[in-house]
């Protein structure tokens, strides 16, 4: 159970004693020294006839920093019904009653034995908590209304302006929807999705396209909106911007294409463009931007889930480029990279590309049992495809890279039975070209393991 150690200190500009008592409540609320600041002063449970629910306000303001005096020492959450013990310490009513129900008759903070187990509502602290949260809540609502109003103004502006003025309006709208959920909802509810989508076309400048795509990736799509954006002219513009835009624009393009690929009605021909695949692979290879590597691999995984596109991915030399990246990828990216290579290895051309790629087998052998069970599964499938393609050459190379010992680790581990079975089959395949003694020698195994 988390314990709170009180201390005499200043918290957001007001003095707090060890017992959690607030000094000079009236001044604290009036002067806004708890961070209310906006001149909104609330002493009762309603403003202009509108009643606010404290629980709801706390939930909606969960991301802001709350003065420590409002925090229950037991739950470390803002108090909604503060009560004070005979020791002077204040707690949330439900938390202290639970403490008593567990057989404790001490003060959780000081561990003093209680000489009186009664609890007294701390109405002074409650009023301050309510006032502080109401001020913050009203300020948040006002900001939200301002944001919604500005979003509507920008949508109207976009219907009228062109050129640089359109770029500026789009840029401001992109910043709004990136930072405020209320702006996203306003755009969607007022036909903004269709309006921004209509700006993408064969004659759209990259400046307009980049900002429009930055807006679209933050919105929720209907099926009709997705169908509209899958038009060849719009996809072509996205591909152009993916190959020529800034790193943020490239990431937004990959995210938008990924969104458009989601759905049963998606046709894989849309993403079979070599220019698209080259742009995605170029993004994946840019080690300076890890978020770009992740975005590119996510899209590449989705593309390779469509078997009809895999030959196109192979044709741009994806295998050696991905193999080269593997050792330096973080676990999330590594799993995506191995997924792509495993998907490509299911094609004869993919297996051949892996076989002919220098360092591919040793690199993939090292990844067995190193990161996750999923990575091990993908690596095993890749090695199986390659070794089965050319057992004498590839199996020997894999054994020299330490494959046998890794396979025994898999067999003896708590991995799922399918992985263990595949490991046993691969181990048997690798041993076919050796005598038992030579295989043991090659694998550096003991007779006990044999």
């Amino acid at each position: 159970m988390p314990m709170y150690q009180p201390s005499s200190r200043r918290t957001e500009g007001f003095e707090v004693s060890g017992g959690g008592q607030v000094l000079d409540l009236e001044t604290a609320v009036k002067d806004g020294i708890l961070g209310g600041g906006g001149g909104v002063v609330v002493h009762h449970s309603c403003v202009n006839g509108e009643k606010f629910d404290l629980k709801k306000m706390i939930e909606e303001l969960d991301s802001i920093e709350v003065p420590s005096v409002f925090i229950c020492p037991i739950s470390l959450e803002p108090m909604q019904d503060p009560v004070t013990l005979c020791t002077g310490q204040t707690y949330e009513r439900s938390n202290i009653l639970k403490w008593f129900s567990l057989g404790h008759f001490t003060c959780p903070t000081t561990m003093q034995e209680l000489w009186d187990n009664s609890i007294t509502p701390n109405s002074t602290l409650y009023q301050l908590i309510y006032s502080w949260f109401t001020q913050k809540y009203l300020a948040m609502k006002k900001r939200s209304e301002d944001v919604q109003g500005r979003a509507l103004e920008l949508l109207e502006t976009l219907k009228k302006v062109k050129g640089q003025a359109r770029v500026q309006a789009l840029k401001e709208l992109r910043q709004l929807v990136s930072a405020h959920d209320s702006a996203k909802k306003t755009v969607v509810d007022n036909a903004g999705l269709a309006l921004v989508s209509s700006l993408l076309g064969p004659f759209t400048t990259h400046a307009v396209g980049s900002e429009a795509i930055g807006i679209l990736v933050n919105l929720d799509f209907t099926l009709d909106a997705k169908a509209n954006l899958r038009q060849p002219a719009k996809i072509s513009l996205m591909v152009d911007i993916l190959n020529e835009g800034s790193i943020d624009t490239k990431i937004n393009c990959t995210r938008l294409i990924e969104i458009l690929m989601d759905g049963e009605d998606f046709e894989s021909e849309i993403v079979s463009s070599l220019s698209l695949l080259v742009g995605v692979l170029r993004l994946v290879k840019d080690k300076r931007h890890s978020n770009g590597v992740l975005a590119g691999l996510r899209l590449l995984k989705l593309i390779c889930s469509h078997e009809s596109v895999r030959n196109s991915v192979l044709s741009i030399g994806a295998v050696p480029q991905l193999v080269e990246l593997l050792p330096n990828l973080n676990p999330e990216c590594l799993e995506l990279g191995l997924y792509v290579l495993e998907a490509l290895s299911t094609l004869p051309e993919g297996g051949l590309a892996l076989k002919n790629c220098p360092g591919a087998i040793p690199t993939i052998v090292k990844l067995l049992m190193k990161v996750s069970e999923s990575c091990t599964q993908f690596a095993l499938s890749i090695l199986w495809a390659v070794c089965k393609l050319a057992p004498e050459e590839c199996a020997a190379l894999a054994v020299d890279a330490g494959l046998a010992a890794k396979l025994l680790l898999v067999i003896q581990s708590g991995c799922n039975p399918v992985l263990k079975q595949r490991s046993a089959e691969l181990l048997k395949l690798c041993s076919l070209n050796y005598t038992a003694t030579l295989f043991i020698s090659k694998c550096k195994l003991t007779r006990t393991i044999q």
Side-chain angles (χ1 to χ4, degrees):
M1 178 177 296
M3 299 301 293
Y4 174 82
Q5 300 299 325
S7 60
S8 181
R9 61 182 176 182
R10 289 194 64 81
T11 305
E12 293 208 18
F14 65 99
E15 196 73 27
V16 181
S17 72
Q21 297 300 310
V22 181
L23 303 183
D24 195 1
L25 167 67
E26 190 71 23
T27 302
V29 177
K30 181 185 294 183
D31 294 347
I33 61 176
L34 288 182
V40 182
V41 180
V42 183
H43 298 286
H44 304 288
S45 61
C46 59
V47 180
N48 296 328
E50 182 179 0
K51 187 174 182 180
F52 297 101
D53 181 75
L54 180 57
K55 181 179 179 181
K56 179 184 176 183
M57 291 191 292
I58 290 174
E59 289 174 351
E60 293 198 23
L61 294 167
D62 65 341
S63 61
I64 67 170
E65 185 176 352
V66 177
S68 60
V69 72
F70 298 166
I71 302 297
C72 174
I74 297 175
S75 66
L76 303 182
E77 297 290 337
M79 290 181 281
Q80 300 175 41
D81 187 7
V83 294
T84 302
L85 303 184
C86 59
T87 59
Q89 303 296 325
T90 301
Y91 303 92
E92 172 66 27
R93 181 188 294 272
S94 61
N95 294 331
I96 194 62
L97 290 178
K98 184 176 182 181
W99 172 263
F100 290 158
S101 73
L102 294 173
H104 303 295
F105 296 101
T106 56
C107 175
T109 300
T110 65
M111 296 311 293
Q112 288 177 272
E113 190 168 340
L114 300 176
W115 58 90
D116 182 355
N117 64 358
S118 62
I119 56 176
T120 304
N122 191 332
S123 57
T124 298
L125 181 56
Y126 172 81
Q127 288 179 31
L128 185 54
I129 292 172
Y130 189 91
S131 298
W132 189 88
F133 272 101
T134 303
Q135 289 179 24
K136 294 291 186 182
Y137 183 71
L138 289 173
M140 181 191 73
K141 284 185 68 177
K142 186 176 186 305
R143 285 195 303 271
S144 177
E145 289 167 0
D146 291 344
V147 165
Q148 291 171 339
R150 184 56 184 154
L152 282 172
E153 289 175 5
L154 289 169
L155 289 176
E156 288 302 314
T157 300
L158 286 172
K159 296 175 183 178
K160 305 169 186 175
V161 298
K162 295 183 179 180
Q164 191 59 32
R166 175 177 285 177
V167 175
Q168 286 303 118
L170 285 168
K171 183 177 181 179
E172 186 177 347
L173 187 57
R174 172 179 58 80
Q175 292 168 344
L176 283 178
V177 298
S178 298
H180 303 282
D181 288 340
S182 58
K184 297 178 190 177
K185 187 175 187 305
T186 299
V187 171
V188 172
D189 291 348
N190 292 274
L193 183 55
L195 174 61
V196 176
S197 298
S198 70
L199 300 178
L200 299 178
F203 303 110
T204 303
T205 65
H206 283 197
V208 168
S210 297
E211 297 297 346
I213 289 169
I215 294 169
L216 291 170
V217 294
N218 286 287
L219 304 180
D220 294 326
F221 285 78
T222 62
L223 292 177
D224 288 342
K226 284 185 181 181
N228 177 266
L229 282 167
R230 288 171 183 161
Q231 294 178 40
K234 297 183 187 295
I235 294 292
S236 179
L237 176 66
M238 294 176 208
V239 172
D240 287 345
I241 294 176
L242 169 62
N243 279 286
E244 299 177 19
S246 66
I247 184 64
D248 289 335
T249 299
K250 290 178 179 181
I251 292 171
N252 284 336
C253 285
T254 60
R255 288 174 57 200
L256 182 55
I257 294 171
E258 184 181 350
I259 291 169
L260 298 181
M261 289 183 68
D262 183 32
E264 296 180 358
D265 58 338
F266 172 75
E267 296 179 3
S268 59
E269 291 77 12
I270 294 175
V271 292
S272 60
S273 158
L274 292 182
S275 181
L276 167 62
L277 299 176
V278 168
V280 174
L281 195 57
R282 188 181 293 130
L283 181 61
V284 168
K285 289 169 59 183
D286 191 346
K287 301 174 185 177
R288 297 170 299 171
H289 306 285
S290 58
N291 52 345
V293 175
L294 177 60
L297 284 171
R298 282 172 57 95
L299 180 55
L300 203 54
K301 174 186 174 180
L302 200 54
I303 289 172
C304 286
S305 66
H306 296 270
E307 189 174 349
S308 60
V309 189
R310 293 175 191 171
N311 270 315
S312 298
V313 178
L314 284 170
S315 70
I316 61 171
V319 166
Q321 296 180 66
L322 288 174
V323 168
E324 184 183 352
L325 290 172
L326 289 180
N328 300 313
L329 295 177
N330 64 40
E332 185 178 8
C333 289
L334 180 61
E335 188 167 318
L336 293 169
L338 286 172
Y339 175 96
V340 173
L341 287 173
E342 192 269 340
L344 297 177
S345 73
T346 60
L347 300 178
E349 298 85 352
L352 191 60
L354 284 159
K355 171 185 172 294
N356 295 331
C357 176
I361 291 176
T363 296
I364 294 170
V365 167
K366 289 178 183 177
L367 297 175
L368 287 170
M369 295 296 290
K370 188 174 181 180
V371 179
S372 67
E373 187 169 311
S374 294
C375 286
T376 296
Q377 179 180 340
F378 295 140
L380 275 175
S381 295
I382 294 167
L383 291 168
W384 174 261
V386 177
C387 291
K388 196 173 181 183
L389 185 67
E392 294 184 8
E393 180 184 352
C394 297
L397 187 58
V399 169
D400 289 341
L403 176 62
K406 288 289 187 83
L407 292 177
L408 286 170
L409 278 176
V410 176
I411 293 170
Q412 295 168 9
S413 73
C415 290
N416 71 63
V418 175
L419 283 184
K420 293 184 178 184
Q421 180 63 31
R422 176 51 61 90
S423 297
E425 292 170 356
L426 186 53
L427 191 62
K428 182 178 179 181
L429 179 65
C430 290
S431 68
L432 292 178
N433 296 307
Y434 299 95
T435 63
T437 304
L438 184 57
F439 188 61
I440 292 172
S441 172
K442 279 275 186 183
C443 302
K444 301 177 181 178
L445 304 179
T446 65
R447 289 194 177 277
T448 302
I449 294 178
Q450 182 192 12

